[in-house]
Amino acid sequence: MATTIREVASAAGVSVSTVSRAFTAPEQVQQKTRQRILEAATKLGYAPNPAARSLRGGGTGTLGLIIPDIANPFFPPIVKAMQARARRLGYTVLVTDSDEREADELEAIAAVSKRVDGLVLWASTLTEDRLRELADQMPLVVVNRHVPGIPEVRISLSAGIAQAVEHLRAYGHRRCVFINASRDELSRGKSIHESFEAQDISFVELGPYEPRFETGVLAATLVAAHGATAVLAHNDLVGLGVLHQMASLGVSVPGDVSVIGIDDTLLASVSTPSLTTIRIDPEEVATRAADLLLETIAGHADRRTGAAGNAEDTPFAEIGSRLVPRASTGPAPTR
């Protein structure tokens, strides 16, 4: 019987995730720890090479990635970075788009599930029960979605939002609109409300809408009705829609209204004015998602050999955020 990753972890006195990182992301493991893991793996005859494991286990050597909207400029850099990470580890990546609809996501899963060794689902539209059923059938990692017992990559906006609120308060803003384009299970509204209230900035939420450019165009016309001097958009696409419509209405940005997006896409830096935004590092997200999926694939292989782990050991990775100030924010107007 082949040696499992859990046996290596036990012999080296570390966690399964540490063993996985020792082979997939050695720069994240201390040299002494990695050496101990390598010695244990050699002694037990563990083969970490993903291509070799794929051949022995009848795998495909392919990882699946299902994203909400491939037209959103936030996702192409993530796809590229995940492909680069997977290639380094001996895998290829199969990418498809769910268009933020449950029926399309189910169709995409059905189309790719037999062709990949595991799946990364970004902001899945599926219910928790469906996701758990899928996780029982194949290695699964979710991004921007929390389901107990399923490995996840968490994107924390806390630091970036806090910096954005401090940025606006320093400029004298006291009334802000948040354009919400999140589904209920993904809503950012509560944490954002708390951040603004902590800085004594009045806060109004519009939506939820769809996370698209057109949403920003629509919502921009409502901002003035609330007397807001600042706008926080769900993402850069929505923020760019706000900039476009403000220009059409003759509203100065940032003279009359300051605008902040979320993601830090390429378009944010080349818009007019350039868009202040909260940056999420696409390379870090993609790398951690790929590494976590490979760890999950190894865990599934262990369960097939009877070496099941505990639900409490469900691995996760957390990605931070930070504010990138640009020309779309400035002092609040004097009224």
Side-chain angles (χ1 to χ4, degrees), residues 202-217:
S202 178
F203 188 81
V204 174
E205 181 177 327
L206 302 180
Y209 305 109
E210 291 188 345
R212 304 182 186 278
F213 178 88
E214 294 79 12
T215 288
V217 173

Side-chain angles (χ1 to χ4, degrees), residues 177 179 206 209 213-228 231 238-251 253 257 259:
V177 163
I179 304 174
L206 302 180
Y209 305 109
F213 178 88
E214 294 79 12
T215 288
V217 173
L218 169 68
T221 60
L222 304 176
V223 172
H226 293 281
V231 175
V238 175
L240 292 169
V242 172
L243 292 185
H244 174 81
Q245 185 65 0
M246 291 297 186
S248 298
L249 296 172
V251 177
V253 176
V257 177
V259 181

Side-chain angles (χ1 to χ4, degrees), residues 26-292:
E27 69 279 2
Q28 297 178 14
V29 180
Q30 292 183 358
Q31 185 175 353
K32 289 183 179 179
T33 302
R34 183 167 183 265
Q35 184 61 37
R36 192 164 73 248
I37 292 169
L38 292 176
E39 290 174 356
T42 300
K43 182 177 180 180
L44 295 173
Y46 177 70
N49 182 272
R53 289 201 306 270
S54 176
L55 288 173
R56 287 199 307 274
T60 66
T62 302
L63 307 179
L65 172 62
I66 299 180
I67 56 179
D69 183 8
I70 203 166
N72 184 332
F74 176 64
F75 288 108
I78 287 174
V79 172
K80 186 175 181 63
M82 187 167 174
Q83 286 177 329
R85 185 63 168 178
R87 189 180 302 117
R88 174 184 169 189
L89 300 172
Y91 282 86
T92 58
V93 178
L94 179 60
V95 183
T96 188
D97 183 328
S98 70
D99 204 27
E100 310 238 21
R101 288 194 287 261
E102 182 178 6
D104 288 355
E105 184 174 350
L106 287 170
E107 184 177 329
I109 291 170
V112 306
S113 59
K114 302 300 183 183
R115 302 163 60 188
V116 299
D117 294 337
L119 267 177
V120 174
L121 297 183
W122 193 293
S124 176
T125 60
L126 306 186
T127 65
E128 288 194 7
D129 287 342
R130 280 187 179 272
L131 288 171
R132 289 194 184 95
E133 289 175 6
L134 183 61
D136 285 339
Q137 297 166 13
M138 69 182 304
L140 180 69
V141 168
V142 293
V143 183
N144 255 9
R145 181 73 189 273
H146 175 67
V147 179
I150 298 180
E152 65 175 302
V153 177
R154 305 171 187 170
I155 297 177
S156 172
L157 293 175
S158 299
I161 293 295
Q163 293 166 11
V165 176
E166 292 172 358
H167 180 71
L168 291 175
R169 183 171 179 80
Y171 271 137
H173 295 277
R174 294 296 181 269
R175 188 166 181 81
C176 180
V177 163
F178 170 52
I179 304 174
N180 184 14
S182 293
R183 302 191 306 276
D184 289 342
E185 67 271 21
L186 306 176
S187 180
R188 301 168 172 174
K190 182 179 179 181
S191 60
I192 292 176
H193 269 283
E194 292 172 350
S195 297
F196 276 87
E197 288 171 359
Q199 290 289 338
D200 195 27
I201 297 180
S202 178
F203 188 81
V204 174
E205 181 177 327
L206 302 180
Y209 305 109
E210 291 188 345
R212 304 182 186 278
F213 178 88
E214 294 79 12
T215 288
V217 173
L218 169 68
T221 60
L222 304 176
V223 172
H226 293 281
T229 63
V231 175
L232 174 62
H234 170 85
N235 62 15
D236 287 351
L237 273 184
V238 175
L240 292 169
V242 172
L243 292 185
H244 174 81
Q245 185 65 0
M246 291 297 186
S248 298
L249 296 172
V251 177
S252 171
V253 176
D256 298 318
V257 177
S258 289
V259 181
I260 298 177
I262 297 174
D263 286 342
D264 193 25
T265 60
L266 175 62
L267 292 180
S269 63
V270 300
S271 64
T272 303
S274 57
L275 181 65
T276 295
T277 187
I278 296 170
R279 176 169 175 76
I280 301 167
D281 187 336
E283 184 171 349
E284 184 179 5
V285 175
T287 297
R288 300 298 290 277
D291 290 350
L292 188 55

